[in-house]
Amino acid sequence: MRRMRKIYVYIIFLFTANVLASCNHAVSPSEYVKYVEKAQNGLRINKQFKGVEYSLQYEPVAYCVMMEKRSFNIPHDEFKEEYNRFSGMEHYVLRIDKSKMDSLVNKLGDTSTYKKGITEYFDFKIQKDIALIKGQDTIPCSICQFDGNTGISEYYTFSLGFFDKSGKEVSTNKSELEDRVIEFENKTLNTGKINLVVTGKDIKNIPVLKTM
């Protein structure tokens, strides 16, 4: 009986070790990007709220570097320099389904007036209506860049960045990471606040990027 118990404990140990290894194994740059963008891994969130579809992409710093350079083959020194430039902030991309939001706007009446207001809102005012909730802290949006090239796009797209209240980066190095909640109140439609959640567990499970 005791021997069987030892075997059972050993099997559990091996299984746990394999799971942990699979979550933290090093992957190539292309594999890393695919992992971050795959919805099943929890870093890309999609949610419908009050008739509008929203999506949120959590962007690790290494991912930001590769998206900025549009390359999987970046020299080590160049990668390090870009990595340091993006460090010190948590990065996200928020997308709002354009056709569904425009469809609701069209029902409001004077569409030309509303659409002008939406453009002004997205260009200058939306940032103050976006926050990152992490534990007990509500962190204002430090950077909100609107992609103005939405004419042929399916989405209104915003690049977001967050510092904590002390001006330091929002840490992702703790053994137990807190969930990240992006809170947005769409004041152009007055539909209330939407919360998009990226769990700390899913952030912690991001694989290691192979050294360039």
Side-chain angles (χ1 to χ4, degrees):
M1 182 69 178
R2 185 173 298 173
R3 176 180 172 80
M4 290 297 295
R5 184 178 300 169
K6 287 183 178 179
I7 293 173
Y8 177 76
V9 171
Y10 181 67
I11 291 173
I12 293 296
F13 171 79
L14 287 178
F15 175 78
T16 304
N18 286 333
V19 170
L20 291 175
S22 66
C23 293
N24 296 285
H25 68 288
V27 297
S28 69
S30 61
E31 291 172 326
Y32 186 92
V33 168
K34 287 179 182 177
Y35 183 96
V36 170
E37 294 180 348
K38 190 175 182 179
Q40 291 90 324
N41 294 324
L43 305 174
R44 172 171 285 185
I45 309 300
N46 296 290
K47 185 174 183 179
Q48 187 172 80
F49 182 73
K50 301 291 182 68
V52 179
E53 289 187 5
Y54 299 84
S55 71
L56 181 75
Q57 174 71 66
Y58 174 82
E59 297 191 322
V61 173
Y63 176 90
C64 290
V65 172
M66 287 184 280
M67 292 299 100
E68 175 74 10
K69 305 302 290 186
R70 298 185 179 182
S71 174
F72 295 142
N73 187 24
I74 306 171
H76 178 75
D77 289 345
E78 185 178 347
F79 185 92
K80 184 177 179 181
E81 181 181 347
E82 289 297 308
Y83 191 96
N84 290 337
R85 184 168 71 87
F86 280 102
S87 293
M89 182 175 287
E90 273 196 16
H91 302 269
Y92 300 81
V93 168
L94 173 67
R95 292 186 176 92
I96 306 173
D97 185 280
K98 189 173 185 290
S99 62
K100 295 197 174 182
M101 181 166 171
D102 288 352
S103 177
L104 290 180
V105 169
N106 290 337
K107 298 176 182 178
L108 295 176
D110 187 347
T111 57
S112 60
T113 300
Y114 277 109
K115 287 182 178 180
K116 181 180 178 182
I118 287 173
T119 300
E120 292 176 352
Y121 177 70
F122 285 166
D123 282 338
F124 306 111
K125 300 177 182 179
I126 190 174
Q127 182 172 341
K128 64 183 178 59
D129 295 328
I130 301 173
L132 168 64
I133 300 173
K134 174 177 166 285
Q136 299 300 313
D137 295 327
T138 298
I139 303 166
C141 184
S142 301
I143 293 177
C144 179
Q145 294 181 338
F146 173 47
D147 181 359
N149 298 317
T150 57
I152 59 175
S153 174
E154 299 178 8
Y155 305 97
Y156 294 112
T157 302
F158 307 86
S159 296
L160 311 178
F162 298 88
F163 287 102
D164 69 15
K165 293 179 180 178
S166 64
K168 298 178 181 178
E169 67 181 302
V170 185
S171 175
T172 58
N173 296 320
K174 295 182 180 179
S175 58
E176 293 296 330
L177 296 179
E178 295 172 303
D179 292 347
R180 271 53 169 173
V181 181
I182 298 297
E183 180 183 81
F184 169 50
E185 183 174 4
N186 191 335
K187 290 188 176 178
T188 59
L189 297 177
N190 295 318
T191 50
K193 293 180 179 179
I194 179 174
N195 290 334
L196 299 161
V197 182
V198 179
T199 70
K201 172 176 168 289
D202 287 328
I203 295 174
K204 189 171 178 59
N205 284 341
I206 297 173
V208 176
L209 178 65
K210 284 183 181 177
T211 304
M212 294 291 184

